[in-house]
Every structure is written in structure tokens, then in C-alpha cells.
Amino acid sequence: MDKTPGTLPIQSATFSNSINSEIRRAAATGIYDIRGGGAKRRVPHFDDLLFLGASVSRYPLEGYRERCGTSVVLGTRFAKKPIELDIPVTIAGMSFGALSGRAKEALGRGASAAGTSTTTGDGGMTPEERGHSTKLVYQYLPSRYGMNPDDLRKADAIEIVVGQGAKPGGGGMLLGQKISDRVAEMRTLPTGIDQRSACRHPDWTGPDDLEIKILELREITGWQVPIYVKVGATRPYYDTALAVKAGADVVVMDGMQGGTAATQDVFIEHVGIPTLASIRPAVQALQDLGVHREVQLVISGGIRTGADVAKALALGADAVAIGTAALVALGDNDPKWEAEYQALGTTTGAYDDWHEGRDPAGITTQDPELAARLDPVEAGRRLRNYLKVMTLEAQTIARACGHNHLHNLEPEDLCALTMEAAAMAKVPLAGTDWYPGKPGF
Amino acid sequence: MQTYDVAADGLRGLNATLQAQKQETNQTRWEVVNPKGSHAIAVGLDAPIDVTVKGSTGYYCAGMNKQATVRVVGSVGPGVAENMMSGTVIVDGDASQYAGATGHGGLLVIKGNASSRCGISMKGIDIVVHGNIGHMSAFMAQAGNLVVCGDAGDALGDSLYEAKLFVRGSVKSLGADCIEKEMRPEHLETLGDLLSRAGSDARAEDFRRYGSARELYNFDIDNAAAY
Ligand SMILES: Cc1cc2nc3c(=O)[nH]c(=O)nc-3n(C[C@H](O)[C@H](O)[C@H](O)COP(=O)(O)O)c2cc1C
């Protein structure tokens, strides 16, 4: 036997097994990978921040005893009827079509029970979700699928979608296999064909037009309800400033970890900036225009815990929105379906072929048998519990920092674990009083 | 006949007044004077009233109209009758971009020319243009009929779904997946009816019909060059 010492086989960091598998998949099929979810790569995130808590110079509030407020009002700038929420965590827009009718109902039930709002999505408003949502935000999207003035007037707020964090600059594609008769009818398209959602609005381009579009929507809804503008995080300072100039009541900023129902993997992983990097510039724009807190900022993209909520608020957001986490609370990617995930060539936690409509958990599907697996009442209860837990967690942190309302959290409560996070969040590296780019250093 | 002066009494009052008209209103005839190019004139109406706008308007005139008949004695800016659900909108002059965008129903008549992207993403509306239309018209048009008595610009009907396009004059070029199709008797009948409702004396027989080849309906990598 040859005893010459050999090096261990070395895996390439550049040509990793997962990269090579993607090359093989592309070579075999000739088509890019489409999937749901948000960026899976590690990017600077809320985990890279820590709260400092109380100390000699700051005293805490008593947990479970001293009040720590959680309410938030969205749309105080121009709307006659702003949205009043009990908690600063809202449910993000997810389309009927991408999700089953029962999943939409469950989202409405859970959000309403927790005192917060839910949001329609591409494909229009369903009676199930209107009926089960005490506060429903109606998305005004480039596709205008199912868009009509009656539903517009039934909404508690309108969200003009300019972009999504998972795919800023991209449209959507609902593949034919998910187009049931009902979905097709709501979108005025034949059953079974791919449905392309346009990447930009058909009747306006640019901030000056947006201002006129907002005027039209306000005139149609009598200036009653708030108008949000949702953007994917790319140029957060300018997009926020332009949305404010166009007349938005609320700016929704969605980072690259934000989920999508179906987009090219290359788009999800390579376009847009991390949620963490988007918050300070957006807040800065609001402050420079003198409208911080008058125009509310909602942050989304990878929000999972009460700590994430507290960190987003401390950086200056007024509220957050959740998509993926809400689906997980309903039952998405639950280990109890592991055998079925295996049969689909995936595993619990990695299942992201939401566009194929074969979701074992019955959430991202239009197949009646699979959809029947989700009990909307039970799933709604789980979502409510989860929202309550997030709120309690955020309150726990806020009290520890000495605040009697979540909105009193501030950047001074935070420090960063990494240089990147310090630079993006503009909070000092832990144990120092410095962050990259800090004036005077 | 009621008269509303936009310059004197403001846009909000105009829309609030017109939107407050109910199904069984007595005040069915309205004249809107001094629009002076204002945006969002007579938007979100939902009653069988007759509104005549005396002068030219800005963006989104008669946006999301239901039931009402809105006539503009002048020209209109971008997005006239956008997302219209029902009723009739008539423009005596020309229309800017995106006329009738995403409209679900009703009839939009443009007596002059319409600019680019006329009927973009239309979802059931009927549009009759007496003059010419600009480039990229009926882009991703889903349903309804677009009738053009003059010529059409570049890339007509690009990525078309099920909308039907009728053009009497020349078509500079067809967009991806849009082809000329046979004019069958039922099409002549629809077209004749639309022309007469739009006050055009053009003959249906002089038009050609265009529609979707339906080859891009389901994604196929071998079609990638078409986009
Ligand atoms: C299944 C699914 C469907 C979605 N559909 C829409 C949509 O129709 N419109 C939209 O603006 N965003 C849509 N989004 C994005 C969410 O509104 C939100 O921006 C994102 O989920 C937030 O990030 P998170 O998933 O990390 O919480 C969708 C997200 C998911 C997961």
C-alpha cells in the first residue's frame, strides 16, 4: 500500500457543491431556477446587532408590571381615517393565487385577532380575506389583476407597489399549473397559462407621475384612507424622499431577504440590498424632509422575532411587515411533512418551490386536496399566538432599555457585532464608540 | 343641466359631487367648465349620469369610471379612462399615452389620435380610435377589443393575450406573439357594432384583425429569443 501522505480532498469555495449542482441543473434543463422565498445567502442582518439594556445611566422598567405601549397609527399625514394597530407587526401582501383562499383567510383571522392589518396581493381582493380581516390593505400593483374601484373603496388603506425586496425591478410569474379557474377569472386570463405580472405600472412612470396617480386614488377614495408606497430596497434614501414628495402617507421598505412567491433565484440573490442597510437611509430621508413619524416607515424582509421588530423600530421604523414568518406560523415547512418534502426532492426548511403548487402544507397551492390540509381557524390561531409572542419579546427588550413604548427605542440602545452591521446601521461596534463612516473620525 | 366650474370650486368638490350621484338621480346632466388641464377630473364615478367636460384635461380623466358617460370637448392627458369598468368615455380631441389602460369594461372612443401604449393591459374594455395609435399599443392586452380606424405604430399587441385588435390602416410592426388573424363573420359583427356605437362611418370590411398566436402562453426556453 502506498504510504505517501496525500492532501485531504479540498472543496472549492468558489465552485462549491451547491454551485456545481446549479450548473448541472442549468445544463440539463436550459432554464434558470425559479423559486419562492427570499435571499438565502447570509447578509448583514438584525442578528448582527445587540441591545445594550439598562445600566447605571439608564434604568429599566419592570417586566410584566410597568406598561410598555405597542400601538401604532399609520397614515396620519393626509388620510381622514388612519389605520390604528395594536401592535407594530403587520402582515405583508401575498397574493391569492400564490396562496390558497384558506391561507388568506387564516392570515386575516390571525392578524385581526392580534389587532393588526393584513394585505391583499397580486390577483385582487377575495371575499374570504376581506371578511376575515378587520383591517385590510389593498395592493395596487402593476398587473392590476382584479383591480376595481369597489374593492378599492372597501380597503382600509391602499398600497401602491413599486417593487419588492426579493426582486426590485422584476415582475412576477404565476406558472400555469397554479392557475385554477377561480384565479384565472379574477385575473381575466385563460385557465392554465402562465400569468406574467408586469414589472412596472402601465399608466405612470417616475415620481412626478406617481404624485398624480396618488392624487387620482385619493380623489376616488375621497381622501379617506392612507396610501402607502412599497419599494424594494435599492436606493432607500432617494426612494423614500421621492415617495414622500409624491404624497405617500406611509413608505414600505422591503429588503432583499424579503420573500416572493416565485422569482428567478439569480434575481433573489443578486439584486437589491439587505433590509438592515435600508433602514437608516430611509429614516434619514424622512428626517431631512421633516416628516419622520408623520410619514410612517414600515420595514420588511427577514423579520422573524420580537428582537428583529425591536431593532427595526430602534433604527427608526414605525412598524414592520412579515411574509415568510407568517407562512411558517401557519404551518409552512413543518417537519411533519418531511416524507413529502423528501418525495419532492427537498427537506423541511428548504422547501421553496411554492410556484409549483404542490405544497404539502397546503398553503402555497390551489390544489383543493392539498389546500384542505390547512384549517384556517387553527392556522389563524397559531399566527395570532406568534404575533403576540413577537410583541411580548419586543416589549421585554424595550423595558430592559427603559422605554414605556416600543417607539421610544432608539439607535443609542444598540451596538453592532460586525463592522458591516455597524456601518449599515450606523451604531457603534460593540465596546467602542465608533462605526465606519462616523463623522469626526 | 348642472354646471361645475373647476377653476372656481376646485377638483375635490367636483369629484365629491359627481361621486355622490346615486342610481336614481334627477341631476343626470353635468357640464364641467374650466378644467384647464387638471388631473383626475371626473374619476371614480358610479351612476348613470352624463358629464361633459368643456376643455382639455390632464392625467386620468374619467379614471375607473362605472356607468357614467363622460365626454371631453378637448384633448386628454395620459391614462384617460384607466381601469374603466363600464359606461362610456368620449374624447373629441386627441389622447396621450396609456388611453384605456387596464380597462375592464365599457366603451372608450377617441375621435382624434391616441399616443403610445393605448389599451395597455386592457382587460375587457372596448376602445375605438378614429385616428392613429402610437407604439406598443395593446401591450399585454388581456381581453376586449381595440379598433383603430387609422394606422398603428410599432410593436402592436406585444405579448398579447386574448384581446382582439382591428386596424384599418397600416401597422408599422407587430409585437412578439401578435399575428394577423382571419376576420370571421362574428368579428365583423362585433366590429360593425363598435364602429356604429363610436359614431364612425368606417366599414368593418376594410379592417384587418390581429390577435395572439398563443405561443408564449407557457414559458418555453426555446422561445427566449422572442422576448
Ligand atoms: C408567498 C408570497 C407571496 C407574495 N406576494 C406578494 C405580492 O403579491 N405583492 C407584494 O407586494 N409582495 C408580495 N410578497 C412579498 C411580501 O409582501 C413581503 O414583501 C415579504 O414577504 C417580506 O419579507 P419576509 O418574507 O422575509 O417577511 C410575497 C411574499 C411571499 C412569501
Side-chain angles (χ1 to χ4, degrees):
Chain A
M1 213 170 123
D2 183 3
K3 291 272 168 71
T4 318
T7 48
L8 279 172
I10 298 176
Q11 297 283 358
S12 167
T14 308
F15 289 93
S16 63
N17 277 332
S18 71
I19 288 282
N20 290 351
S21 72
E22 171 51 20
I23 294 174
R24 282 189 291 273
R25 195 205 56 74
T29 63
I31 183 170
Y32 41 49
D33 187 27
I34 293 183
R35 66 171 176 88
K40 290 189 169 183
R41 61 154 91 205
R42 197 186 132 67
V43 294
H45 198 39
F46 296 115
D47 290 337
D48 301 318
L49 301 180
L50 294 172
F51 281 99
L52 294 170
S55 53
V56 179
S57 60
R58 306 218 170 182
Y59 62 87
L61 298 187
E62 190 57 51
Y64 301 105
R65 289 291 176 271
E66 286 179 295
R67 256 195 80 74
C68 176
T70 62
S71 61
V72 58
V73 186
L74 300 177
T76 49
R77 187 186 188 194
F78 291 124
K80 289 197 189 114
K81 292 186 192 152
I83 291 215
E84 294 175 17
L85 304 177
D86 296 341
I87 61 172
V89 186
T90 65
I91 305 301
M94 292 181 274
S95 58
F96 168 68
L99 302 187
S100 70
R102 284 164 160 255
K104 289 298 281 178
E105 177 183 333
L107 291 173
R109 285 177 180 273
S112 301
T116 190
S117 61
T118 181
T119 312
T120 67
D122 220 355
M125 185 189 283
T126 62
E128 291 100 312
E129 101 182 296
R130 177 61 281 187
H132 291 288
S133 309
T134 48
K135 296 193 177 72
L136 182 60
V137 182
Y138 185 47
Q139 284 201 326
Y140 188 72
L141 292 122
S143 72
R144 309 278 166 86
Y145 287 140
M147 165 55 219
N148 70 75
D150 299 327
D151 287 346
L152 194 72
R153 291 194 183 102
K154 279 187 213 143
D156 299 297
I158 298 164
E159 180 168 293
I160 301 178
V161 180
V162 178
Q164 264 177 256
K167 46 175 177 180
M173 180 80 101
L174 198 56
L175 294 186
Q177 54 266 46
K178 279 183 83 168
I179 311 299
S180 65
D181 289 347
R182 182 175 178 204
V183 172
E185 194 191 322
M186 279 181 70
R187 298 175 181 225
T188 333
L189 281 171
T191 303
I193 74 167
D194 297 344
Q195 301 196 347
R196 169 91 194 140
S197 295
C199 68
R200 62 172 192 267
H201 284 262
D203 58 355
W204 65 271
T205 44
D208 296 332
D209 283 9
L210 176 58
E211 186 171 352
I212 306 170
K213 179 48 80 178
I214 289 178
L215 170 74
E216 184 205 11
L217 294 174
R218 290 208 196 273
E219 283 294 322
I220 290 173
T221 52
W223 293 74
Q224 298 288 317
V225 299
I227 296 191
Y228 304 3
V229 172
K230 174 177 179 175
V231 294
T234 58
R235 300 172 185 84
Y237 182 88
Y238 294 105
D239 284 343
T240 303
L242 291 170
V244 169
K245 188 224 152 227
D249 292 304
V250 174
V251 176
V252 182
M253 184 67 65
D254 191 28
M256 74 179 285
Q257 300 100 309
T260 171
T263 300
Q264 300 92 326
D265 176 78
V266 70
F267 210 141
I268 301 175
E269 295 288 357
H270 298 278
V271 185
I273 66 171
T275 306
L276 184 66
S278 72
I279 306 176
R280 289 308 288 270
V283 172
Q284 190 66 48
L286 296 173
Q287 287 169 340
D288 288 353
L289 293 167
V291 293
H292 187 218
R293 305 295 183 207
E294 181 190 345
V295 172
Q296 288 79 31
L297 177 66
V298 178
I299 290 292
S300 58
I303 304 270
R304 307 148 299 174
T305 63
D308 291 348
V309 178
K311 289 169 187 174
L313 265 50
L315 293 176
D318 295 274
V320 301
I322 58 167
T324 307
L327 300 188
V328 174
L330 297 189
D332 174 62
N333 267 294
D334 193 307
K336 78 175 174 195
W337 307 112
E338 178 59 19
E340 295 190 40
Y341 291 133
Q342 295 272 343
L344 292 170
T346 183
T347 185
T348 305
Y351 177 66
D352 59 13
D353 286 328
W354 297 341
H355 56 290
E356 290 179 350
R358 292 186 290 174
D359 183 358
I363 296 169
T364 56
T365 184
Q366 298 302 321
D367 177 311
E369 272 176 38
L370 289 173
R373 291 181 177 184
L374 186 82
D375 174 354
V377 177
E378 179 50 35
R381 202 170 297 133
R382 282 197 297 271
L383 176 61
R384 184 205 71 132
N385 289 344
Y386 168 61
L387 290 167
K388 295 257 176 213
V389 170
M390 282 179 118
T391 308
L392 285 170
E393 287 174 344
Q395 284 175 301
T396 302
I397 288 171
R399 285 198 187 94
C401 296
H403 299 305
N404 64 3
H405 197 289
L406 294 183
H407 286 148
N408 295 339
L409 285 160
E410 53 190 346
E412 286 68 25
D413 292 317
L414 291 168
C415 67
L417 280 169
T418 66
M419 295 277 263
E420 290 85 353
M424 291 177 187
K426 293 191 171 46
V427 300
L429 199 58
T432 78
D433 59 358
W434 174 83
Y435 60 83
K438 185 171 179 183
F441 278 83
Chain B
M1 168 88 77
Q2 317 283 311
T3 300
Y4 190 99
D5 186 333
V6 185
D9 301 320
L11 179 71
R12 183 77 284 264
L14 171 70
N15 285 320
T17 306
L18 296 179
Q19 287 165 6
Q21 302 306 310
K22 300 280 176 298
Q23 289 301 116
E24 52 302 319
T25 176
N26 296 326
Q27 303 177 339
T28 54
R29 299 186 77 79
W30 291 81
E31 192 173 74
V32 179
V33 298
N34 288 320
K36 298 197 168 157
S38 298
H39 307 307
I41 290 214
V43 293
L45 307 192
D46 189 7
I49 56 175
D50 239 79
V51 180
T52 301
V53 182
K54 292 290 206 47
S56 294
T57 68
Y59 282 56
Y60 310 132
C61 179
M64 300 196 202
N65 187 55
K66 281 179 81 182
Q67 303 191 66
T69 299
V70 179
R71 180 179 202 117
V72 180
V73 186
S75 291
V76 292
V80 63
E82 67 88 14
N83 216 87
M84 172 151 75
M85 305 302 292
S86 62
T88 306
V89 175
I90 304 157
V91 179
D92 282 355
D94 298 319
S96 182
Q97 306 173 80
Y98 340 119
T102 75
H104 285 70
L107 174 67
L108 168 63
V109 180
I110 293 159
K111 296 282 179 77
N113 303 308
S115 177
S116 58
R117 296 172 198 270
C118 177
I120 183 171
S121 287
M122 54 193 273
K123 298 173 182 4
I125 189 176
D126 292 320
I127 304 176
V128 180
V129 181
H130 287 228
N132 307 321
I133 57 170
H135 63 267
M136 289 301 277
S137 287
F139 177 53
M140 291 177 86
Q142 296 174 216
N145 300 289
L146 172 62
V147 180
V148 185
C149 300
D151 304 329
D154 266 321
L156 177 71
D158 195 286
S159 306
L160 191 65
Y161 292 101
E162 294 293 301
K164 297 184 175 65
L165 317 180
F166 303 94
V167 183
R168 185 167 64 165
S170 66
V171 173
K172 195 153 179 220
S173 67
L174 292 173
D177 213 28
C178 182
I179 53 170
E180 184 170 352
K181 291 190 159 180
E182 183 197 354
M183 182 81 90
R184 293 195 299 268
E186 68 265 29
H187 303 124
L188 284 172
E189 194 179 319
T190 310
L191 180 55
D193 173 57
L194 283 172
L195 287 166
S196 87
R197 283 167 57 210
S200 165
D201 50 17
R203 292 168 354 113
E205 293 73 24
D206 295 340
F207 285 72
R208 289 163 175 241
R209 179 169 82 96
Y210 304 87
S212 177
R214 303 191 177 102
E215 279 172 9
L216 303 181
Y217 272 13
N218 290 93
F219 186 82
D220 178 346
I221 188 60
D222 293 329
N223 286 333
Y227 307 107

